[in-house]
Amino acid sequence: QVQLVESGGGSVQAGGSLRLSCVVSGSTSNSNYIGWFRQVPGKEREGVAGIYINGGNTYYGDSVKGRFTISQDNAKNTVYLQMRSLKPEDTAMYYCAAALQYWANYSRLWGLSYVYGFWGQGTQVTVSS
């Protein structure tokens, strides 16, 4: 099993930055992929970024490309989401998720919730104008 704990959320003004952390514990050696998602009440969960742990390949949603960066620190079993130039529309609950099984076409599937079998509880990000 895998446990994920997010932190780093908060309130920030538009144009500001935040760094979210996702600490992965449990069967971390079996985690192939980590994804960051966000959700606003009443809307579908949106894939923000994904990373292939063993290869380092990263993927981003169009709405955050160029502003957000996903990275990993294997020594700390932590995946980060650095968010810059934040906009009010980035306001959401942010979740990290882990996928244990190997996906040959992860580059096309990374933003789909069903790829991931384990989820954290989320951390709230609020961006004011």
Side-chain angles (χ1 to χ4, degrees), residues 8-117:
S11 297
V12 65
Q13 289 192 325
S17 300
L18 283 174
R19 188 178 77 162
L20 306 184
S21 299
C22 173
V23 178
V24 185
S25 60
S27 302
T28 55
S29 61
N30 294 327
S31 297
N32 275 309
Y33 312 98
I34 299 292
W36 280 99
F37 288 76
R38 65 187 182 187
Q39 190 168 24
V40 175
K43 291 191 175 182
E44 293 285 325
R45 189 168 290 185
E46 175 190 9
V48 175
I51 185 167
Y52 174 38
I53 295 298
N54 292 326
N57 309 67
T58 57
Y59 309 92
Y60 298 94
D62 289 340
S63 62
V64 306
K65 207 170 290 184
R67 300 188 297 122
F68 290 12
T69 303
I70 188 171
S71 62
Q72 59 181 336
D73 184 335
N74 293 335
K76 296 181 179 180
N77 290 331
T78 301
V79 173
Y80 302 99
L81 184 69
Q82 178 69 54
M83 307 186 295
R84 297 183 176 89
S85 301
L86 283 162
K87 304 175 181 180
E89 51 264 43
D90 294 318
T91 295
M93 184 70 79
Y94 283 72
Y95 302 88
C96 64
L100 271 59
Q101 74 177 88
Y102 176 71
W103 295 87
N105 49 357
Y106 179 74
S107 61
R108 291 190 292 111
L109 301 179
W110 69 268
L112 300 177
S113 297
Y114 74 78
V115 168
Y116 306 89

